[in-house]
Structure formats: C-alpha cells, structure tokens
Amino acid sequence: MLEKLSYPETRRGDVVDDFFGAPVADPYRWLEDADDPEVREWTRQQHDLALEALNNLKGRDTFERRLREVWDYPKFEIPRKRGNRLFYMRNDGLRQQPVLYVKEGDQPERDLIDPNKLSDDGTVAIFDWQPTSDGRLVMYALSDGGLDWVNFRFRDVETGEDLDDKLAKLKFSSVAWRKDGAGFYYSRYTDGAPDEGPENPEVSYQVYYHKLGTQQADDVLIYDDPARKGIQLSASISSDDRFLILDITWESRIANRLYYRAIDDEGDFVRLFDDLDDEYRFIGSDGDIFYILTTNGALNWRVVAVDIKDPASENWVDVVPESEEAIDGVAIVNQQFVVTAMRLCRHIIKIYNKDGSLERELLPPGLGAVALRESAGAYGGAKDDSMFISWTSFLQPTQILQYDFATGDLEPFFETTAPSFGPDRYETRQAFCPSQDGTKVPIFITCKKGLDLNGDNPAIMYAYGGYSFSQTPSYREWLPVWLENGGIFVVANIRGGGEYGEAWHRAGMFAGRQNTYDDIHAAAEWLIENKYTSNRKLAIEGRSNGGLLVAVCMLQRPDLYGAILCHVPTIDMLRFKYFTSGRYWTTEYGDAESSKEVFEFLTAYGPLHNIKTGQAYPPILILTADHDDRVVPMHSKKLAASLQYANEGDNVILLRVLTRAGHALGKATSKLIEEQVDIFAFLNQIFDMGVD
C-alpha cells in the first residue's frame, strides 16, 4: 500500500543567493555534490524507501509477465546502404541491447557488433555507428552505463576485427568519413579537460581530423574558436568529397552559423552564414550550388539553392517553398528532395525534383510518423533509385518500408508485430483543445474502440513542449499493457515543440514558457470535461524538459492531476547552467544571471521556487539515474527534498534512482521493463485499477 511515508531526514542549509537585489534561498545546495558521502547516503535512503514502497504494491507480477510478453518481438532500426552492403540494428526481442548486422546481396546476414557481449549487465550500448561510403569499415561509439561520454572503435566489416585506432572521451560527436575511408572529421572538447566537458566555461569545442592508423594524440586540429566557448560544432562532407562543412550551434536555439572550405584547403573557412539571424542546414550540393534548409523568411522552413560564388540572399532560388505544413527534415535521394512535412502533427512525405516541381506525395499507412534519422528518416545515396523509410504509429511497432523511385511503390522491407496484442481493438483519435489564449492545442487519444466516456478511465498524458521537438505518433512497448487494463494514452502537442514550425517552438521559449503549461492544463481540462477521465485518474508524464513540464504543472494546478510521472527532470532553473551540458540550455530557457527580466520569468515558474509549504500535492514518482550526465540527478534530488519538506497531504513523494543508467539512450531492456513495472504498480494503486 502507498501510505504517507516517513521520509529520511534531510538537512536544510543556509545558502542564500542574491539575484538583482532579491535574496533566493537554496537550502539543498549540498545535494548537488553527488560524490559527497552525506549525499550518497541520503540518495541510498531515498531509493531504498521508494523500492520498499513500490515492491509491496499489487499487480507487479502480472505487469512484469505481460510486459515481457508484449516486449518480446523483433525491433528494427532503419538500414543504411553502403556499397553493396546493408547495415542495420535489430533487437530480436528481449536482448538487453540491439545488435548491428550486415548483409551483402543474397548472402545471409551476420552480426557485426554485439554489445551484449561487452558487459554482464547489458549496460554497454552502441550510441552511434557510421560506415564508410564503400561499407568497408564502420565506426561504432560505445557508451558505458548510459553516459553521454563515448569511445569510438572501428571495425573491418570483412574480417569482423577491430582496428587499432581508439578515440576516447568524446561527447555529442559523430564522424564525417572521407570518401576514400582513410580518415574522418569529428568533434571533441579541449585537450586537458576530458572529464569536465561542457560545464567548464574554459573548455571549448573543436573539430579534428583523424587519419586511420595514427594515435588520437596526433589528430590534426581543423577548427577552434576560443572566443565562443558555448558553441557546438559538427562537421559534414559534401557527397562529392569536395567541401568540408561546419555547423556551429547552441549560441541560439533559433539560429546557427554555417561555414565551409575546400576539403583539402588548410586556409580559413568561408563564413557563408555568420549573422546568427536564422537557421541554415546544409542538405547537399551540385558543384558550387549548396542546398540549404532554412527558416530565413520562412518559419515553416524552406529549401533554397545558394550559389556559393554569389551567395547574396537576393540570388537564392526557392526549391521547396514554405507552406502551411512545416518541414521536419530533408534528404537528397535519387537526385530528388525527400521532404518530411507535418500535417496535423503527423508526417507526410513529399518528393520534389531539383527544379522545385512536386513529383508525388507519400502517405505511409494510417495515423503515423516517419522516424527522423539520417535526414528525415530516409536514407539512400544521392544517386540511389530506392530508399528506406521507418514508419510507426501508436498501435503499430516500427516498420521498415522501401520506396522505389522508378515505380513509386512503397513496400514492406522489415515487418513486425507485437505478440499477443490485438491492435484492431483500439483506435487513435485526434482532438483540438482551446488553450487559455484561444490557441487550439492538438492531442492524440489512444484507447479502446467504443470507449465508455464515463469520466472514470485511468489516463496517462505525455507531453514535452520544448526545443522544437515534435511529438508525433509512435509506438511504446508498454502501451498494449496499459490499454488492455482499461487505460487511455494521450499525447499533447503543446507549444514549444515543432509541430507547427518555428513559430510554435518560439511561442514556448523564454518568457513564453507559460504557454506550454497553459496548453497542457487546457488539454487536461478538455479530457475531463469530455468524460475521458477525471482529475483523480489523470496522470501526466514527461522526460527531461518534459520532466520540468510536469513538475511545474503539478505545482500550478495540484487540483487537476491525480499522479505525476517525472523522469530525469530539469528542475533548478537558476543553476542548471553549471552542470554538464546545462550551459547550452540557456538558449531555450534563458540565463537567470543575464538580466532581472530573465530571472523573474524563470522564478515565476521554476519548480524549486514555487513549492508552497503546507500544500497537498498529487502523488509523484520521480525517476532519475546515477549516470545521467545530461540532466544530472541533483535536479531530482532537490525536487524530492523540497516536496517532502513542504507537502502537507498523505500523498507519496518517491525518488527512484536507477543505477548503471543514463538520461535515456542505451538503457538495457531489463531496466526498461523494471521501470515500467514500477510505474504501472504505482498507478494501479493510486487509480484503484484492480490489477492483482
């Protein structure tokens, strides 16, 4: 049973900061030091309390058995074709980690890299992999225990043996292979601070070239800008191997810089777009013509052709003009533009010729989404005559489809279904809810067909609302179990995302963050008014930026929600920039130290500064991970401590700290199932769902 618990005693410190003359107390500053023995002991006590409470709940065995059944099916990722070889990741069912396979022509596939053999607990994962253009070699990036820090390894595809080359302590980096496969470009932090990374203001990000067969210490520095230490750099190479492209980001969430130079030139880069006025994404090139995806003059994005010999904006040629359907991604395949666009928060695919004419529109089956990986979910070479597309919906696991440009046929390539789950018994509906200012907020509702709208159905509403990330229909392995037990699953497309282009994103940035909270409140009220659920049986769930979202919503409207599922949240809105990659988030939220105005709008909603002593808050399960080096666990710890101190009611406040796991990517299957059992048991108890 979940009853009012006796929480570990939490010391309150006397730290007080001054922001523009306003004193701000931070009594749990000491919880920021994860290595302090007192913090370790406090964390252990909190986690043990959470496990004791969760392990005693009814329905756990039932949920675990059923989750393992519906989780046990083949899961494919989109293939990448290089030369005559096809590379793809697959998890055959309950493996801890997916395996990288390679297939040549009609020969049987073979496993090329199996990360399950690299650890006993399944917590070593492949975070990224990139084959050479001829498929002879593949780079694979390994993460240990969920860390964003990775190490690069290189495998000979023919022999299955690793090269001697090893690159260590890399973060937020991939590789751009030279066409001859002799070396590649990559990004890394300044030498001398491998364990500090982005949180250290003295560390800058740099681009290097690594020649195969040499040591990392001998890599050649290609680009550095010590004056701009808050930037991220990514390198790419034009398909003709003629140009090296630099994308410089994170000075702004709505603009970037784009530079280039001849690939064998050792001189300065040409600053093609340097005003930091809009976003410019390199798609590809034809000789001196660069194709750029941009928000310049188009908040829903457009594709323009830019002659680099005469790049003035008045000379640009619109190839794919802006429309009401925001562009979500673009790839060049078969010498055509494959455009993924948003139509009512779902994906469609439009294929344009190089002259800008629309050749055809593809609508993958049902209310679904094209997975955004390797340029809009479509991968093929610029001259390939077919491409692979991954497609998913709320009721259908990811399918891999193959599109033939000559015939126009879109056929299954890898098909899969979840075992013992009858999706035909369920449906996804879409509704539009009026927010406080009248803005129509889309929501997807997945539920049983013929659902009885009696106001008593348990519901989970998921939202994110930030960084221009669109919440399109997608399958969750656990969703069948929730639906089978009478649950409703809702996804809210609130402002801050990219569902309606950059304008929708900007409406949820900085001082506009309150729009995202108003939107989810409006969605909750609509669900209750239309008898889908009640405030007593509505849970809201969010991760990372979404964890911030649900924490704020709990504090602003504790009357509206029956339970809070708060994953790896950003919570301390005054100090987040001092931890790991937090300094990059100021471009989305603002920096409290930059001005009084920013300080005031951050503290107007920041969770730590709006918890009221004596208030009864809904039951909350806070889930974090000890190896989360993106949103560090101190955010979750401060939230738990503050709520436990202030909460007046009997509802529980649990802090669950998963070990050997990180922010999200690479989490072992057993840990995913374990986490979901805890969530379902938690909701089963709170909502009195009756699962034994």
Side-chain angles (χ1 to χ4, degrees):
M1 298 291 291
L2 283 176
E3 301 172 346
K4 187 170 184 178
L5 303 174
S6 177
Y7 299 110
E9 184 175 348
T10 305
R11 174 171 62 84
R12 288 174 62 83
D14 56 4
V15 175
V16 178
D17 293 319
D18 182 279
F19 285 86
F20 307 99
V24 179
D26 191 2
Y28 302 114
R29 177 74 59 85
W30 63 276
L31 287 173
E32 294 178 356
D33 186 357
D35 295 324
D36 184 278
E38 184 183 6
V39 177
R40 287 180 179 273
E41 176 60 19
W42 182 90
T43 304
R44 184 194 64 77
Q45 292 178 11
Q46 289 283 344
H47 182 61
D48 288 349
L49 177 69
L51 288 188
E52 181 181 0
L54 293 168
N55 287 341
N56 287 326
L57 297 177
K58 294 188 299 182
R60 293 185 60 86
D61 291 343
T62 301
F63 286 128
E64 181 175 5
R65 174 186 55 78
R66 189 68 182 116
L67 283 167
R68 290 183 64 84
E69 289 174 352
V70 299
W71 219 288
D72 191 6
Y73 69 92
K75 305 165 192 68
F76 296 92
E77 296 181 15
I78 193 165
R80 305 177 191 181
K81 185 180 179 183
R82 301 290 194 273
N84 66 341
R85 288 172 170 151
L86 201 63
F87 299 84
Y88 48 90
M89 298 281 287
R90 185 179 76 240
N91 189 325
D92 289 324
L94 295 175
R95 282 185 173 182
Q96 297 283 37
Q97 299 289 343
V99 175
L100 178 59
Y101 291 90
V102 62
K103 181 175 171 57
E104 302 178 48
D106 295 330
Q107 298 179 23
E109 68 176 17
R110 55 189 172 93
D111 59 321
L112 183 62
I113 304 168
D114 184 355
N116 298 286
K117 299 176 181 178
L118 302 179
S119 68
D120 294 331
D121 59 0
T123 57
V124 172
I126 299 175
F127 257 31
D128 184 27
W129 53 280
Q130 294 290 343
T132 54
S133 61
D134 59 5
R136 181 175 57 88
L137 302 171
V138 63
M139 179 283 293
Y140 61 104
L142 294 178
S143 166
D144 189 356
L147 293 174
D148 281 339
W149 290 107
V150 299
N151 298 321
F152 286 178
R153 299 290 183 267
F154 305 87
R155 184 152 295 187
D156 185 301
V157 177
E158 184 66 33
T159 66
E161 299 294 327
D162 277 353
L163 308 184
D164 291 335
D165 300 68
K166 295 180 180 180
L167 274 62
K169 298 301 293 182
L170 304 175
K171 197 170 192 178
F172 308 138
S173 179
S174 189
V175 302
W177 284 104
R178 289 296 305 265
K179 197 168 188 177
D180 59 9
F184 56 85
Y185 300 91
Y186 71 101
S187 305
R188 78 186 197 209
Y189 287 100
T190 310
D191 284 342
D195 296 313
E196 295 177 339
E199 69 270 27
N200 185 342
E202 299 306 314
V203 170
S204 63
Y205 212 50
Q206 304 165 317
V207 172
Y208 280 82
Y209 177 75
H210 177 81
K211 182 180 180 180
L212 290 179
T214 65
Q215 299 296 312
Q216 184 176 5
D218 298 325
D219 290 350
V220 178
L221 177 64
I222 300 298
Y223 183 83
D224 184 22
D225 190 345
R228 295 204 300 262
K229 292 188 171 65
I231 63 174
Q232 284 274 289
L233 301 169
S234 60
S236 60
I237 298 175
S238 59
S239 60
D240 58 6
D241 208 43
R242 182 180 169 193
F243 296 107
L244 175 64
I245 315 295
L246 284 184
D247 189 348
I248 305 173
T249 60
W250 293 108
E251 293 173 276
S252 167
R253 278 300 303 174
I254 59 176
N256 70 303
R257 305 178 196 270
L258 195 69
Y259 301 169
Y260 76 91
R261 77 180 188 194
I263 200 160
D264 293 320
D265 189 348
E266 296 183 358
D268 292 336
F269 280 83
V270 177
R271 301 189 172 199
L272 183 61
F273 301 111
D274 198 36
D275 291 338
L276 210 65
D277 54 351
D278 290 291
E279 291 193 66
Y280 303 92
R281 306 300 177 193
F282 177 80
I283 302 168
S285 61
D286 280 331
D288 291 333
I289 302 298
F290 278 16
Y291 297 108
I292 304 294
L293 175 64
T294 183
T295 55
N296 183 292
L299 289 182
N300 278 353
W301 301 84
R302 62 176 174 149
V303 177
V304 296
V306 178
D307 187 336
I308 59 175
K309 291 183 177 179
D310 193 7
S313 58
E314 59 266 24
N315 299 321
W316 298 354
V317 176
D318 261 11
V319 180
V320 179
E322 182 186 24
S323 74
E324 292 183 358
E325 297 168 339
I327 294 175
D328 208 27
V330 182
I332 298 178
V333 191
N334 191 47
Q335 296 299 329
Q336 294 177 296
F337 294 100
V338 180
V339 176
T340 305
M342 302 294 298
R343 178 177 294 170
L344 296 179
C345 305
R346 59 163 291 192
H347 283 138
I348 60 169
I349 298 174
K350 298 178 180 180
I351 300 177
Y352 290 84
N353 296 312
K354 287 286 183 72
D355 63 6
S357 60
L358 176 63
E359 178 160 312
R360 62 171 56 95
E361 182 178 293
L362 299 181
L363 286 173
L367 188 68
V370 174
L372 302 184
R373 179 171 178 172
E374 289 215 338
S375 301
Y379 188 79
K383 299 179 180 179
D384 282 354
D385 57 7
S386 68
M387 67 177 175
F388 296 105
I389 299 169
S390 61
W391 178 87
T392 183
S393 75
F394 290 114
L395 296 171
Q396 178 62 59
T398 297
Q399 311 293 300
I400 305 300
L401 311 174
Q402 187 169 22
Y403 176 73
D404 188 308
F405 282 87
T407 65
D409 292 335
L410 184 64
E411 301 291 343
F413 189 79
F414 290 140
E415 288 187 286
T416 189
T417 57
S420 65
F421 168 55
D424 293 342
R425 295 178 291 166
Y426 307 95
E427 64 180 347
T428 297
R429 309 169 182 178
Q430 190 174 35
F432 297 85
C433 315
S435 192
Q436 186 176 33
D437 62 359
T439 300
K440 296 292 185 180
V441 179
I443 62 172
F444 291 109
I445 306 167
T446 302
C447 58
K448 284 184 178 179
K449 291 179 179 178
L451 179 73
D452 184 8
L453 299 180
N454 56 17
D456 196 44
N457 302 298
I460 299 173
M461 179 162 61
Y462 182 88
Y464 187 80
Y467 294 90
S468 195
F469 293 161
S470 300
Q471 300 304 302
T472 51
S474 63
Y475 188 75
R476 278 94 166 154
E477 280 79 9
W478 52 262
L479 186 53
V481 181
W482 181 248
L483 297 175
E484 291 167 353
N485 284 283
I488 298 171
F489 181 61
V490 181
V491 169
N493 301 111
I494 60 180
R495 280 173 282 187
E499 291 88 346
Y500 289 101
E502 188 56 29
W504 196 252
H505 170 218
R506 295 181 188 183
M509 294 176 65
F510 302 123
R513 287 289 301 178
Q514 186 57 44
N515 287 328
T516 68
Y517 311 131
D518 290 342
D519 289 355
I520 195 169
H521 296 328
E525 289 171 337
W526 187 93
L527 290 167
I528 293 167
E529 289 169 5
N530 286 274
K531 305 295 184 182
Y532 278 93
T533 188
S534 65
N535 59 345
R536 188 178 67 86
K537 289 195 172 183
L538 174 60
I540 49 173
E541 182 173 29
R543 297 174 182 272
S544 196
N545 171 76
L548 165 64
L549 171 78
V550 299
V552 172
C553 289
M554 172 189 67
L555 298 173
Q556 291 188 354
R557 292 293 306 274
D559 61 306
L560 195 54
Y561 307 104
I564 312 297
L565 304 172
C566 185
H567 301 256
V568 292
T570 302
I571 295 296
D572 192 335
M573 302 311 293
L574 301 185
R575 289 181 54 77
F576 64 79
K577 72 174 185 177
Y578 294 113
F579 301 89
T580 60
S581 57
R583 65 172 170 168
Y584 301 128
W585 311 340
T586 59
T587 59
E588 181 82 6
Y589 301 130
D591 181 351
E593 296 178 1
S594 65
S595 72
K596 185 177 181 181
E597 177 192 8
V598 176
F599 163 72
E600 288 177 345
F601 70 62
L602 285 173
T603 51
Y605 71 80
L608 292 184
H609 311 101
N610 287 279
I611 295 173
K612 299 175 182 178
T613 302
Q615 171 71 54
Y617 290 111
I620 180 171
L621 177 58
I622 306 168
L623 305 103
T624 187
D626 66 344
H627 279 202
D628 190 342
D629 57 346
R630 193 175 309 178
V631 182
V632 293
M634 76 88 178
H635 289 278
S636 296
K637 295 173 186 178
K638 281 188 167 184
L639 177 62
S642 300
L643 285 173
Q644 289 171 0
Y645 174 79
N647 191 43
E648 180 67 22
D650 293 336
N651 290 329
V652 296
I653 299 158
L654 299 178
L655 175 62
R656 181 185 186 275
V657 186
L658 192 63
T659 58
R660 295 280 300 158
H663 193 62
L665 295 176
K667 191 177 289 185
T669 296
S670 61
K671 291 184 180 292
L672 292 170
I673 294 175
E674 173 188 325
E675 178 179 274
Q676 202 59 47
V677 169
D678 284 346
I679 290 171
F680 281 167
F682 181 74
L683 297 180
N684 182 46
Q685 175 67 35
I686 294 168
F687 294 164
D688 193 23
M689 294 171 60
V691 179
D692 293 323

